[in-house]
Amino acid sequence: MKTLLLLSLPLFLLFTLVSNAQDKKPLNPEVYDNWKSIEHQQISQNGQYVSYEINPQLGDGLLIITIPEESKSDTIKRAVDASFSTGNDFIAYKVKPFYKDTRKAKLAGKKKDDLPKDSLGISALNGKIYRYPGLKSFSVPVSSGNWLAALLETPGPKIVKDTTATDTLSVKEAEVNKKSGAKKDAKSTKKDKTEIYTLKLIFPADSLIYSWDSITEFAISENGRSLAMATYYNDSIPHSGLNLFKTDSKQQYNVFKNSGFIRNLAFDTAGNQLAFMHASDTSDAKRYRLYYYKKQLKIAADTAINGLAVGICPSVNDKVYFSQDGSKLYFGLAPTPRPEPKDTLTDDEKARIDLWHWKDPLLQPQQLKQLEKEKKRTWLSVYYPAKDLLIRLADENVKDITTGFKGNGRYALGFSEDPYLIETSWKDASYSDVYLVDMETGKRELQLKRHDGPVSLSTTQKYLAWYNKNDSLWYTMDLKQRKPIRHSACKTIAFYEEEHDVPSIPGPAGFAGWTQNDRQFVVYDRFDPWGLDPSGKKNPENVTSGEGRKKNTKFRILSLNPDVPYIGRDDGFLLSGFNETTKESGFYKISKGNASNLVMLEKGPYKYSNPIKSKNAGSIIWTKGNFREYPDLWSSAEEFTGQKRLSEANPQQKNYLWGSVELVKWNLPDGKEAEGLLYKPENFDSLTKYPMLVYFYEKYSDQLNQHYVPKPSRSIISPTYCSSNGYLVFIPDISYRDGYPGQSALEAIVSGTRAIASYGFVDTTRMGVQGQSWGGYQTAWLVTRTNLFKAAMAGAPVSNMTSAYGGIRWETGMVRQFQYEEGQSRIGATLWERPDLYIENSPLFKADKIETPLLIMSNDGDGAVPWYQGIEMFTALRRLGKPVWLLNYNGDEHNLSRRANMKDLDIRMMQFFDHYLKDAPAPDWMTKGIPAIDKGKKTGYGTTE
């Protein structure tokens, strides 16, 4: 057995040691950059090796490769996106340049193409290491094979002459390099932007390396037996070739050679069939043909060959792929590209206009947002190689096709949403007509009209299942008998979302999928999975015997094998469980045919990730964490025995003050019980009076065991930072009444805050409130009705529902009406039906009642809430002479995306609260502002006092 050359040291000794400070320190923004996260964890197919990345927020990360059974690990600096070989004998990864070098190049003003490049790294588990600069991409076979293929930037000339491939090539040397000494053709180089690379085929364990130049793209078969590569060279006329390399015999074959361009290579699973697209056109408007190769080459799809409609041809904008069984080849059709007409007007002679028409299915902003997608829209089609038959599945009327598990079956589902698109402006629904599509004939049969909800074709394609919102029940139908069967558990059990609290019809609680051979279609109520007999002969079966509802635990079925179309294992189901009372999570198993045999495998006051299973062994990896514990990586057997902790991402945490969290409950004004979370500082003293920040959105109590990494804020306060710096943080759950979202929030937040204050450890003269987006709206509304809080921060608030109602969500181009009538804003009526509710729920109309200093963030790049909503509130309070500030992070989003802006918001938000709640001096930006002439020069963080 080959072994990984690893350090024989305990895993945790591999990490950077932190100072042994005797006194813990409060968190501060200066430590954020080096706080780390675990990413891209994976386990080898034999379950012997595990790899994961430990990445700081800024700087160079580490790739850790470990053998859990031997407690050995190795570390590779700056390595990311790793892949184990299917033979478990090497790991390949991308090596990023040093962060400091990239930053230095950016400071020097270098363009993107001139920045330091990624490299390919390979660590053979027999100890050999390979490194290649200028990595574009690499791939490892999916199911078998002991090699990888990588595209690397070609040094020297980018335009090369013809290098004709031999019919067969037997390679004995360690490296075969087909380099051309061609000189650049200056004329063609200027116009030709085709990128070419060096392709390397590497067998790390055997030290064999094969190399080809002038490659544009490549494909590998899942079984690792075949490699296809497209070559390109331009000697005044572009020419392309397609070569096939067999990795077992080390022989190479020339499949195709012609003028033009090759794109979209694809193998079937066995590596015996190959498809690609070719265009002989040299213009920008290229017409492609689809080629199929199995021992012989033939044209699979082309206007002149297959009798396609005039003006239709295969499109390079869609993926080309085979069904898993190799019987079908899928690709996209689209209108034949046409050259753009020559301009006859200068720019200043052209009108620039968007015409909004009242009958447009989508508003002009939506159409413009989707313009590039529409330009590249294709209609899915299928080619049957054995029959030389092409069937068009989608068209202008039925644009979306779902082919089922890996495209193997005869039938597909087609969806047509066009007749209902205009309603999406005010309906929080996605209606479609649903068709059953026979992929052998192209015939469609309408199954569901104006349907809004999930639809599922069974794994054997014998049944169809769907959820009907009108009666909140699941239906199944035998596709031969065509008789719908309605499934109802019992009068006390609902399959819809029981906690749905917006003014629209609730959707389903969810579904897991089909069991093997379609014996059951498994759906959920709030707590338990139910097995529905699709034939209707048996009554619905509660898979967990109602234990979920009895114990207030939400059970959900897990699937650890993505290579099978059904759920469950031979011995039963693996489930996750979440207790809504204690907020604990865990994993369970239950035997098939014995619903009473529910066994708990792992449970605790943690938040777990779904396990990742090794393909050919019973090993799994997973994370668990809570507020105080970072979610580090663990390994175990499939039933969670033999657990080993693999990582310690942030050992420095022990040097910082870290708060605690607890679940709190109180009664609302109507007597109903409410829940929330209370975060306390470390070494909490009930006899001390603490300042308190109140944050909220809708419901947060289920996040009791959520870990919050110290990092710059995108828009909200951090419970981790605030509790470390001496604040209490209270997050109440909010229950809503249709038409009165503002009052609902007020009742929950104020009653909860007063309940916490009654414990005696809250300084009620030093309480602040903060929210973002929907929480920002609630914050703005709250301070028009209460003076309970000494300071408030509202991020991206809607201040005027009457003007926001007809506004545009610029990130999608959608009008905002749907969210007021049926969505989160919960008004439940149009503006003209209930103008009183829109005014009642708009903070702007009570701006004169506000006495709380208010900090607003409204960004001009916000694609969800129009930034003029913040401006309306700011200008009103400014006129009223009330203390108000507005932060506009230029070009940034609804939730900040630029790290520099996040850091700035972090500082200003906490300076604002520290001033009002801790008597800290007001910084200059609060007392004097930042004049436009000082923009980018002064931050105003300091104080001149």
Side-chain angles (χ1 to χ4, degrees), residues 596-652:
S596 62
N597 187 21
L598 182 67
V599 178
M600 188 268 291
L601 304 175
E602 164 72 12
K603 181 184 175 184
Y606 300 103
K607 185 173 183 178
Y608 297 86
S609 67
N610 284 344
I612 301 172
K613 181 183 176 298
S614 57
K615 187 173 182 178
N616 301 319
S619 304
I620 59 173
I621 55 174
W622 38 279
T623 64
K624 72 173 182 179
N626 55 31
F627 179 68
R628 292 190 60 85
E629 296 179 34
Y630 179 83
D632 275 300
L633 188 62
W634 293 70
S635 70
S636 69
E638 195 170 344
E639 295 194 347
F640 293 87
T641 57
Q643 295 184 14
K644 291 181 180 292
R645 181 175 175 173
L646 303 183
S647 70
E648 187 180 13
N650 292 296
Q652 77 280 10

Side-chain angles (χ1 to χ4, degrees), residues 560-728:
L560 300 184
N561 187 355
D563 293 328
V564 298
Y566 53 84
I567 60 171
R569 308 179 299 183
D570 292 339
D571 58 344
F573 294 110
L574 177 68
L575 307 102
S576 66
F578 175 77
N579 187 286
E580 291 189 353
T581 301
T582 65
K583 314 302 179 183
E584 290 188 333
S585 299
F587 298 98
Y588 301 76
K589 72 172 182 178
I590 192 164
S591 301
K592 284 185 180 178
N594 188 4
S596 62
N597 187 21
L598 182 67
V599 178
M600 188 268 291
L601 304 175
E602 164 72 12
K603 181 184 175 184
Y606 300 103
K607 185 173 183 178
Y608 297 86
S609 67
N610 284 344
I612 301 172
K613 181 183 176 298
S614 57
K615 187 173 182 178
N616 301 319
S619 304
I620 59 173
I621 55 174
W622 38 279
T623 64
K624 72 173 182 179
N626 55 31
F627 179 68
R628 292 190 60 85
E629 296 179 34
Y630 179 83
D632 275 300
L633 188 62
W634 293 70
S635 70
S636 69
E638 195 170 344
E639 295 194 347
F640 293 87
T641 57
Q643 295 184 14
K644 291 181 180 292
R645 181 175 175 173
L646 303 183
S647 70
E648 187 180 13
N650 292 296
Q652 77 280 10
Q653 180 180 318
K654 66 177 178 289
N655 293 329
Y656 293 92
L657 294 169
W658 207 273
S660 60
V661 61
E662 59 192 59
L663 187 68
V664 293
K665 299 183 179 183
W666 72 97
N667 290 327
L668 296 170
D670 63 3
K672 293 181 180 178
E673 187 178 70
E675 292 183 331
L677 302 178
L678 179 62
Y679 296 84
K680 295 177 178 178
E682 188 166 336
N683 302 318
F684 172 78
D685 181 0
S686 62
L687 299 179
T688 300
K689 297 282 188 178
Y690 293 92
M692 184 167 75
L693 288 170
V694 180
Y695 169 79
F696 41 80
Y697 191 75
E698 291 189 351
K699 288 182 169 64
Y700 255 77
S701 62
D702 285 355
Q703 303 303 316
L704 174 68
N705 293 312
Q706 176 69 45
H707 186 86
Y708 296 97
V709 170
K711 62 181 180 180
S713 171
R714 295 190 66 192
S715 55
I716 65 175
I717 60 170
S718 164
T720 306
Y721 173 90
C722 293
S723 58
S724 180
N725 281 270
Y727 282 101
L728 295 166

